[in-house]
Amino acid sequence: QVQLVESGGGLVQAGGSLRLSCVASGRTYSNFDMAWFRQAPGKEREFVAAIKLSSGNLNYADSVKGRFTISRDNAKNTVYLQMSSLNAEDTAVYYCAARTGYIIGYPATLQSHYTDWGQGTQVTVSS
């Protein structure tokens, strides 16, 4: 089992930036896919970005391309989500997720493929 702890959420003005962190502990492997999902009030949880720890291959939701950047520090078992040009539609609880993936290819984007989840961190963007 993997324990995931998110941090870095908070209140930010529209147009501002935040960086979220997700630290993984317990059973971690280099062939993990790690991802960020988010859930806004009254909406379904949706995919934001994912990274394959072995290769660094990435996937992004169209709504965040060009604004958000996912990265990893394998030595620290940490994945980051740098968020820029934030707007009110980015307000949500952001969740970190992990799964055992494949060494090659691109990371999964479906939440049903992820087996381990963090508790979430709130991001609120004021307009």
Side-chain angles (χ1 to χ4, degrees):
Q1 188 173 358
V2 179
Q3 291 77 46
L4 302 172
V5 178
E6 304 98 332
S7 62
L11 175 64
V12 62
Q13 287 189 333
S17 300
L18 276 177
R19 189 178 80 159
L20 305 182
S21 299
C22 173
V23 179
S25 61
R27 178 181 64 88
T28 59
Y29 298 118
S30 60
N31 60 333
F32 268 18
D33 293 348
M34 293 190 70
W36 290 95
F37 291 80
R38 67 186 181 185
Q39 187 167 20
K43 294 187 177 182
E44 299 282 324
R45 189 159 56 185
E46 64 176 5
F47 169 75
V48 175
I51 187 167
K52 187 168 287 293
L53 297 187
S54 56
S55 63
N57 285 348
L58 309 172
N59 265 322
Y60 290 101
D62 288 343
S63 59
V64 306
K65 280 181 182 176
R67 300 189 300 122
F68 290 11
T69 302
I70 188 170
S71 61
R72 92 284 198 203
D73 184 335
N74 288 352
K76 296 182 179 179
N77 288 334
T78 301
V79 172
Y80 304 98
L81 185 68
Q82 178 68 48
M83 305 185 293
S84 303
S85 302
L86 287 162
N87 56 61
E89 287 69 41
D90 297 316
T91 294
V93 177
Y94 283 72
Y95 297 92
C96 179
R99 66 163 230 154
T100 303
Y102 298 98
I103 292 292
I104 61 173
Y106 285 83
T109 61
L110 296 178
Q111 57 181 308
S112 61
H113 289 179
Y114 285 84
T115 56
D116 299 281
W117 293 83
Q119 293 299 306
T121 185
Q122 175 72 47
V123 172
T124 303
V125 183
S126 63
S127 56

